[in-house]
Amino acid sequence: MKLYADQAGRRAGQLLADLAAVTVMVFAVIGATRLYDNVLKLRMPGDKLAESGSVLRGVFAGAAEWAARIPLVGESLAKAFTPGVDAGDQLIAAGGRQIDAVEQTGFWLALVVVLLPLVLLLATWLPWRIRFVREATAAVTLLRFGDARELLAARAIANLPLKRLSNADALAWRNGELDALAERELVRLGLRPNRQ
């Protein structure tokens, strides 16, 4: 498998692009982690609300339990504390909803921060690298297992834009002067022409 070009300049560009892609992903993950941690700090009001609700519920439940022990009026008196217990439960539930909302927001924000660069890299850098590896590996394989001059020359002609295609190229093809065309294709792929 041919991962990098033979030509120093092109190989340096590929290495820099790969390094940039890895750097972007590392920074995206670090940024997403920090963002998530910072958003989770917004949980504090929800935590305090749930904690306050728990204390309130405990106080009213304790008072209701204590009042229930009073002879004759205890049961009726204990029921008077039920709204306080319910208020504590509502505060606990509201705090839980606040905590869930903050955690969900933090998760989705962090996910977006990671996915945006990943999608951009998958749409640009990765196809470019895969295309090079496939084409360069195929060319190296062709050169290893036989005379690939004619195939590379044909590929050079096919890959030239029509405005750059000259009579000289067509004449070279017709006259069987394939070396220069094959060499042009190898150079286009980033390979050393003397591989043949």
Side-chain angles (χ1 to χ4, degrees):
M1 184 176 290
K2 185 76 174 154
L3 294 178
Y4 294 100
D6 293 333
Q7 300 162 354
R10 189 160 177 190
R11 182 175 50 245
Q14 290 170 332
L15 286 168
L16 282 174
D18 291 354
L19 181 62
V22 169
T23 303
V24 164
M25 283 314 302
V26 166
F27 277 115
V29 169
I30 290 170
T33 304
R34 287 189 179 163
L35 176 65
Y36 182 72
D37 291 342
N38 286 330
V39 170
L40 283 189
K41 289 177 184 174
L42 299 174
R43 269 182 56 148
M44 192 169 38
D47 290 336
K48 294 291 184 189
L49 196 58
E51 185 181 313
S52 298
S54 182
V55 168
L56 185 64
R57 184 185 197 293
V59 167
F60 277 97
E65 188 179 310
W66 178 81
R69 288 190 235 143
I70 297 175
L72 299 174
V73 292
E75 214 172 287
S76 298
L77 190 56
K79 286 183 184 177
F81 292 107
T82 301
V85 172
D86 293 342
D89 288 341
Q90 290 173 359
L91 285 174
I92 292 169
R97 285 191 298 273
Q98 170 76 18
I99 291 166
D100 288 345
V102 167
E103 287 176 350
Q104 288 290 323
T105 302
F107 171 77
W108 288 109
L109 283 173
L111 188 64
V112 167
V113 166
V114 168
L115 285 181
L116 278 177
L118 180 63
V119 167
L120 287 172
L121 287 174
L122 289 176
T124 57
W125 167 80
L126 191 60
W128 171 69
R129 290 296 288 135
I130 288 172
R131 189 176 323 111
F132 170 81
V133 170
R134 278 192 353 218
E135 288 184 356
T137 301
V140 168
T141 304
L142 273 174
L143 290 170
R144 256 190 221 136
F145 297 110
D147 184 18
R149 286 178 326 127
E150 190 172 324
L151 291 173
L152 289 171
R155 177 110 180 186
I157 293 283
N159 283 325
L160 276 176
L162 287 176
K163 64 182 179 184
R164 287 196 52 219
L165 193 59
S166 69
N167 285 336
D169 295 322
L171 267 170
W173 176 259
R174 271 192 239 122
N175 294 334
E177 298 165 6
L178 306 177
D179 289 335
L181 291 171
E183 187 173 300
R184 183 185 294 172
E185 181 61 12
L186 288 173
V187 168
R188 185 190 72 79
L189 291 171
L191 302 174
R192 265 185 259 118
N194 60 2
R195 280 187 169 271
Q196 300 186 66

